[in-house]
Amino acid sequence: MTSDLDRNIQYLKGVGEKKAALFARLKVFTVGDLLSFYPRDYEDWNTVLSIEEAPLEENVCISAILLSPFTVRRTRSGMLLYTTVVSDGKNFLSLTFFNNKYVKDALKDGEEYLFYGKIRLDQEGNREMTSPAYAKVSEGGFYHPVYPQTEGLNSKAVAKAVRSALDLCGDALQETLPPGQIEKYRLLPLKQAVEQIHFPRSDGEIAAARRRLIYEELLTLQLGLLSSGRNEREKTRFTLKEDYSDEFAALLPFRLTGAQQRAVRECVADLGSGRSMRRLLQGDVGSGKTAVAASLIYTCAKNGYQCALMAPTEVLAQQHYQSLSAMFRETGLRIGLLTGSLTPKQKREIKAQAAEGELDLLIGTHALLTGDVQFKNLALAVTDEQHRFGVMQRAKLREKGDSPHILVMSATPIPRTLSLIIYGDLDLSVLDEKPAGRKEIKTYTVPTVYHERMYAFLRKEAARGRQCYIVCPAVEEGDAPDSERTAAEDYAKLLSGTVFRDLRTDILHGKMRPKQKDEAMRRFKDGETDILICTVVIEVGVDVPNATVMVIENAEFFGLSQLHQLRGRVGRGAEQSYCILVSDAKNEKAARRLAVMCETNDGFRIAEEDLKMRGPGDFFGNRQSGLPMLKLADLMTDGRILYAARDEAQRILAEDPSLTKPENRTLREKVAALFADIS
Ligand code: ADP
Ligand code: MG
């Protein structure tokens, strides 16, 4: 059914074909899109201050009378300056406009206007305002919406289009929330909320409109996450006859931490329950998630079942293959590796083995998800670094078996309460304890003039038999701005030919062929390389306990969570480890990130800081979390609304699990739209 909301905005008064093309750049095509194209800010023309009380350098609204006609002056650079003086009866304020010949006729001597802008002090200490927005006093007393902009389309033009959309199609905005909820949570009706978020008359109106729209957005999110069977634990034929986790523990050269043991117990209980497990294993870098997965894999294999382990990169898949093969060497477990670097023939063989049940464990990248990968009796599917995969990819792995158990592992430490909601379909186990004897990684930020000293330090570590990573932001010159050190290839050449001529250097980056990558990683792992010059390909999961120094060149290019992940590549053994962040950045945000890194090793704190600095839209964005993008809601600060939305979503789904009842049709459409672009 099409409604007025599906109409092309081109037919709105004052829009037309040309403007519609500009709107398209902002992804606004229909009237419905336009009405949900929310302002990112507001100009407050409601709070009118006197010139005296108005703070400097902040946007303020002033009501004042023009004391003189404009004077016009040409600057040396040829610009026309229009100046005048206004007063609110007590103080004076001079106004300057550049090249704006309309202002001369628009503002009349002796009349009162509203002016919106920043007041500054000129060289003599007098107050002035440059190019303020202005309006007749009769037009004041409200808020002006400020929209995300594109060239040729300013906020005023957007506001005008929204206004005519509301006039024309406002009545098409039918209530989307189920009956009763508006009263229960004291929310605004949809139409009023939309009007008010665009054209509020007070802060209170903005807050009320946001609350209503955020509630709706979060309810939709929760319905999407909890519906269509995502949340129910299906019956499964894969139940354990026996638990082999103690036998597994005896294979390890170390004792599992208390947290690891607890996680294993929680998972084993699920595996024996007769319903398929859906569990998230969350633990900071280095907390030992792999051993937990390995324990479950061992137990499943011993019960005669198959397992799959999916990793986001070739390097990591290869590493898991090697370390698990070593761990299980004496046990007779049959392990296969499926990655892009195999020949077609090798791939065919591995796939045949999996399908015939000749493999107990198949490890791979998302190559595991392709259609022709089949298992005979896949009982457990593990996804490592799950935040690198989307919700849908996770689901795909599940479809490889007959209701297999699912374990996803992640180092992205979202606060516990939040992750329960975001991963509403998953139970949670947390590794909140690091293996004993781990030392804090000492972290320093140094300017580039310290390079020589730093090289000397690396040389000393290498002489003691330790290994080092040097990470560069890009592979080749031209990928990123600045200095030879941004280019891993050139940098590797430079270092191996000069300062580290007598050491064993090697290179690893994403543009190398898979075979070459595997080889470089193997050499490093086997201790044949002293210094590995690389890019972020080593960011996730790589585990070489003998590496003790992580150098990050141009550290300002990296985000906080990424820096923490990179740092997590060292400090994996008993030796003291170091992380050296090389940066000359003066940029305040970058400096703050580096400071946080030096202050703490705690992944939870780092994630929180990251969230604060980047904003949740970015943090929980599509690719990272597998969650859809939210327009208004902030998962960190809108916690109360989130909980309410979750309760309601559960209540609605209890009565109508797949939202097929007529009264839930609008909600179902909203869910589909919200989840449409994630895969
Ligand atoms: P992550 O949680 O980041 O995936 P890994 O599973 O790679 O961490 O484990 C990090 C390192 O710690 C590995 O070298 C692993 O062998 C080692 N390790 C894991 N558990 C323990 C433990 N209980 N005691 C000592 N070392 C451990
Ligand atoms: Mg790992």
Side-chain angles (χ1 to χ4, degrees):
M1 188 187 78
T2 62
S3 81
D4 282 352
L5 298 179
D6 297 325
R7 280 170 43 182
N8 192 313
I9 52 164
Q10 174 174 341
Y11 303 109
L12 285 175
K13 210 172 91 202
V15 178
E17 213 171 312
K18 255 207 196 126
K19 280 227 173 80
L22 295 174
F23 271 109
R25 277 200 238 149
L26 299 167
K27 301 209 160 51
V28 173
F29 306 99
T30 66
V31 170
D33 295 338
L34 182 60
L35 292 179
S36 59
F37 185 67
Y38 303 129
R40 62 173 168 77
D41 203 358
Y42 301 89
E43 290 178 356
D44 177 1
W45 289 66
N46 197 26
T47 315
V48 177
L49 300 177
S50 71
I51 295 174
E52 189 170 25
E53 66 190 345
L56 298 177
E57 304 287 345
E58 275 175 39
N59 282 322
V60 289
C61 188
I62 298 290
S63 181
I65 297 174
L66 236 69
L67 295 186
S68 66
F70 277 93
T71 55
V72 190
R73 196 154 57 79
R74 191 177 284 279
T75 65
R76 237 175 281 159
S77 58
M79 220 173 346
L80 286 175
L81 285 189
Y82 294 82
T83 52
T84 185
V85 175
V86 299
S87 169
D88 60 1
K90 209 167 161 207
N91 290 280
F92 300 104
L93 176 69
S94 49
L95 302 184
T96 305
F97 294 84
F98 299 101
N99 285 342
N100 183 344
K101 58 177 188 260
Y102 305 106
V103 75
K104 204 161 166 296
D105 301 319
L107 301 180
K108 296 199 173 60
D109 183 16
E111 291 200 16
E112 185 170 11
Y113 299 94
L114 294 171
F115 298 99
Y116 186 94
K118 286 185 179 134
I119 299 182
R120 296 198 175 84
L121 296 182
D122 68 11
Q123 279 143 343
E124 275 99 53
N126 299 315
R127 291 186 183 88
E128 66 169 4
M129 232 184 199
T130 307
S131 305
Y134 51 83
K136 291 197 182 111
V137 175
S138 61
E139 289 171 356
F142 48 79
Y143 282 52
H144 288 225
V146 180
Y147 293 95
Q149 281 171 34
T150 185
E151 208 181 312
L153 196 63
N154 60 21
S155 279
K156 241 190 182 142
V158 177
K160 232 165 115 182
V162 173
R163 176 58 79 195
S164 59
L166 277 171
D167 290 345
L168 203 68
C169 310
D171 291 333
L173 288 169
Q174 280 164 22
E175 189 49 57
T176 35
L177 291 178
Q181 302 214 347
I182 301 239
E183 297 76 20
K184 182 166 173 192
Y185 295 107
R186 289 197 224 133
L187 300 169
L188 296 181
L190 179 62
K191 187 175 170 212
Q192 192 185 344
V194 171
E195 269 170 10
Q196 248 171 250
I197 198 151
H198 289 289
F199 304 109
R201 278 164 303 187
S202 67
D203 282 343
E205 287 200 1
I206 298 174
R210 284 181 57 89
R211 206 163 69 82
R212 144 78 209 215
L213 296 168
I214 286 171
Y215 176 79
E216 179 171 325
E217 192 167 43
L218 292 175
L219 179 67
T220 311
L221 175 73
Q222 289 298 308
L223 284 170
L225 290 175
L226 298 174
S227 70
S228 64
R230 277 173 200 263
N231 199 35
E232 85 201 27
R233 304 289 181 265
E234 309 139 326
K235 282 211 174 84
T236 176
R237 64 188 166 93
F238 302 113
T239 53
L240 299 182
K241 291 175 274 297
E242 204 171 333
D243 171 13
Y244 290 85
S245 41
D246 289 339
E247 195 175 304
F248 168 80
L251 296 173
L252 295 172
F254 47 74
R255 240 181 89 78
L256 290 177
T257 63
Q260 284 170 317
Q261 290 175 26
R262 190 180 59 229
V264 169
R265 267 201 311 277
E266 288 166 351
C267 294
V268 166
D270 290 354
L271 297 181
S273 70
R275 302 240 163 213
S276 62
M277 171 170 81
R278 305 273 179 79
R279 192 169 279 277
L280 169 66
L281 176 62
Q282 203 179 76
D284 202 357
V285 280
S287 58
K289 295 183 287 294
T290 317
V292 174
S295 175
L296 306 177
I297 289 168
Y298 185 74
T299 286
C300 284
K302 281 291 205 177
N303 277 272
Y305 300 138
Q306 285 182 297
C307 306
L309 170 58
M310 182 164 77
T313 63
E314 294 251 345
V315 168
L316 190 49
Q318 180 76 28
Q319 174 189 288
H320 279 320
Y321 178 68
Q322 270 154 10
S323 58
L324 292 176
S325 297
M327 192 184 286
F328 292 131
R329 184 162 298 135
E330 309 291 325
T331 65
L333 240 68
R334 298 160 301 175
I335 306 180
L337 175 68
L338 183 67
T339 64
S341 60
L342 300 183
T343 63
K345 182 157 175 277
Q346 288 170 318
K347 279 185 196 161
R348 270 200 307 278
E349 279 167 14
I350 290 281
K351 285 176 193 168
Q353 287 170 354
E356 296 297 318
E358 288 162 16
L359 288 178
D360 300 304
L361 169 62
L362 181 58
I363 299 172
T365 55
H366 44 262
L368 290 185
L369 299 176
T370 50
D372 54 350
V373 177
Q374 306 286 342
F375 294 85
K376 192 163 179 211
N377 59 350
L378 180 67
L380 171 66
V382 183
T383 310
D384 195 11
E385 306 294 348
Q386 87 83 30
H387 57 283
R388 294 300 187 97
F389 297 99
V391 174
M392 300 306 161
Q393 282 178 314
R394 223 159 69 199
K396 255 192 194 161
L397 190 56
R398 189 167 91 209
E399 285 157 16
K400 294 282 168 193
D402 179 11
S403 305
H405 300 286
I406 301 289
L407 179 70
V408 300
M409 310 200 287
S410 178
T412 306
I414 323 165
R416 188 183 175 108
T417 43
L418 250 186
S419 65
L420 279 173
I421 285 180
I422 296 169
Y423 300 113
D425 55 332
L426 300 171
D427 296 313
L428 182 67
S429 291
V430 180
L431 298 185
D432 50 7
E433 180 185 358
K434 291 228 168 142
R438 292 284 163 79
K439 299 192 175 75
E440 286 265 297
I441 301 163
K442 292 191 176 158
T443 305
Y444 308 95
T445 303
V446 302
T448 49
V449 293
Y450 272 59
H451 265 120
E452 295 308 321
R453 261 197 256 184
M454 185 184 81
Y455 295 147
F457 177 69
L458 299 193
R459 176 178 291 288
K460 235 171 62 194
E461 284 290 299
R464 297 175 51 229
R466 306 280 96 81
Q467 293 165 278
C468 312
Y469 298 95
I470 300 181
V471 175
C472 310
V475 187
E476 290 155 51
E477 204 80 65
D479 281 5
D482 200 19
S483 106
E484 61 197 339
R485 293 184 174 81
T486 56
E489 256 167 6
D490 292 346
Y491 195 30
K493 249 184 239 152
L494 175 81
L495 293 180
S496 60
T498 54
V499 262
F500 296 138
R501 202 178 309 133
D502 53 327
L503 293 180
R504 297 166 303 170
T505 57
D506 204 349
I507 181 159
L508 179 63
H509 62 69
K511 294 190 183 167
M512 282 160 53
R513 305 255 300 279
K515 261 248 146 54
Q516 298 174 302
K517 280 192 243 176
D518 293 349
E519 263 305 295
M521 206 55 237
R522 186 202 55 75
R523 286 193 294 268
F524 192 68
K525 189 140 192 152
D526 291 348
E528 294 168 21
T529 304
D530 300 309
I531 296 182
L532 183 64
I533 295 127
C534 52
T535 59
V536 290
V537 283
I538 56 129
E539 178 187 344
V540 288
V542 168
D543 180 43
V544 180
N546 190 48
T548 54
V549 188
M550 167 60 66
V551 174
I552 303 174
E553 296 279 357
N554 293 98
E556 71 275 9
F557 280 114
F558 298 96
L560 201 40
S561 292
Q562 202 173 20
L563 288 171
H564 181 62
Q565 278 281 346
L566 284 168
R567 175 169 62 182
R569 296 313 114 219
V570 297
R572 301 184 146 245
E575 293 293 326
Q576 177 63 55
S577 289
Y578 306 87
C579 175
I580 304 175
L581 307 167
V582 185
S583 175
D584 286 333
K586 300 278 179 296
N587 171 311
E588 199 178 301
K589 272 193 167 160
R592 174 89 199 111
R593 286 200 295 271
L594 303 183
V596 169
M597 284 292 291
C598 295
E599 266 164 41
T600 183
N601 268 277
D602 179 349
F604 274 85
R605 262 210 57 203
I606 295 210
E608 262 170 37
E609 289 289 335
D610 201 16
L611 256 167
K612 261 192 242 156
M613 279 186 239
R614 280 203 291 168
D618 198 6
F619 189 88
F620 291 109
N622 205 336
R623 283 223 324 276
Q624 279 286 317
S625 62
L627 285 181
M629 290 301 270
L630 300 173
K631 276 194 176 156
L632 288 174
D634 174 336
L635 294 173
M636 291 304 283
T637 56
D638 294 323
R640 292 249 298 266
I641 309 182
L642 186 55
Y643 289 116
R646 182 177 168 84
D647 288 349
E648 290 300 335
Q650 278 168 337
R651 201 185 48 70
I652 294 169
L653 290 171
E655 283 166 25
D656 185 10
S658 34
L659 298 179
T660 39
K661 290 192 181 166
E663 67 264 32
N664 290 328
R665 210 201 62 215
T666 348
L667 282 176
R668 191 177 71 234
E669 285 168 4
K670 293 221 133 225
V671 171
L674 183 65
F675 282 80
D677 62 332
I678 65 168
S679 56

